[in-house]
Amino acid sequence: MMQTKLFQMGLLVTVAGGGVHALQIFQTGKIVDLVICELKMPIKDGLDVVRHLRSNFIQIPVIMTSNTPDRERVIAVAQMGVTDILVKPIRQAELVKLVKAKLSLDIEDSGSQQAA
């Protein structure tokens, strides 16, 4: 749902199959403008992804998603500057509003930003 909606907005989307894959994408040097990441994932979770970004001085805006936000993880990512967490099920209108705000977009259904 998220990928489809972001495509409809005209955004280029790179999908990672989990935290490990996301870290591999960042290590290739791929430039992204926004990260939408699941807070709880096996092996490398959203906290690990944000920790990697921040430890490499990458200040990409991050939106976390979660079925049931874990208080400790929420606090940890908030301390790294991630304050937006969408609790599933995610409403499309909420996603669109947040993505537009994070990317400073004034678009209806077109654009050229890169999201991962």
Side-chain angles (χ1 to χ4, degrees), residues 75-88:
I75 291 169
V77 295
Q79 290 173 337
M80 291 184 270
V82 179
T83 57
D84 298 297
I85 298 178
L86 295 175
V87 178
K88 295 177 182 179

Side-chain angles (χ1 to χ4, degrees):
M1 181 279 298
M2 283 193 286
Q3 180 181 3
T4 300
K5 187 59 187 173
L6 295 172
F7 276 137
Q8 289 172 350
M9 291 172 63
L11 301 175
L12 302 172
V13 178
T14 301
V15 177
V20 173
H21 187 211
L23 294 175
Q24 291 170 342
I25 290 170
F26 295 128
Q27 291 171 347
T28 67
K30 184 169 185 71
I31 297 172
V32 298
D33 298 303
L34 172 67
V35 173
I36 301 174
C37 186
E38 177 64 32
L39 187 57
K40 295 180 183 178
M41 295 181 284
I43 305 172
K44 297 287 184 182
D45 65 8
L47 179 57
D48 294 320
V49 171
V50 174
R51 190 177 290 123
H52 169 81
L53 293 173
R54 299 306 185 245
S55 69
N56 288 288
F57 305 103
I58 302 171
Q59 295 301 315
I60 298 169
V62 176
I63 299 170
M64 284 288 170
T65 63
S66 182
N67 286 323
T68 54
D70 175 281
R71 181 176 164 76
E72 290 178 18
R73 286 183 179 154
V74 169
I75 291 169
V77 295
Q79 290 173 337
M80 291 184 270
V82 179
T83 57
D84 298 297
I85 298 178
L86 295 175
V87 178
K88 295 177 182 179
I90 298 169
R91 296 187 334 255
Q92 280 192 8
E94 187 177 15
L95 173 69
V96 169
K97 180 180 177 182
L98 197 49
V99 168
K100 285 181 178 183
K102 289 291 184 187
L103 295 175
S104 301
L105 298 177
D106 184 25
I107 59 171
E108 291 293 319
D109 285 322
S110 63
S112 62
Q113 299 289 321
Q114 173 77 25

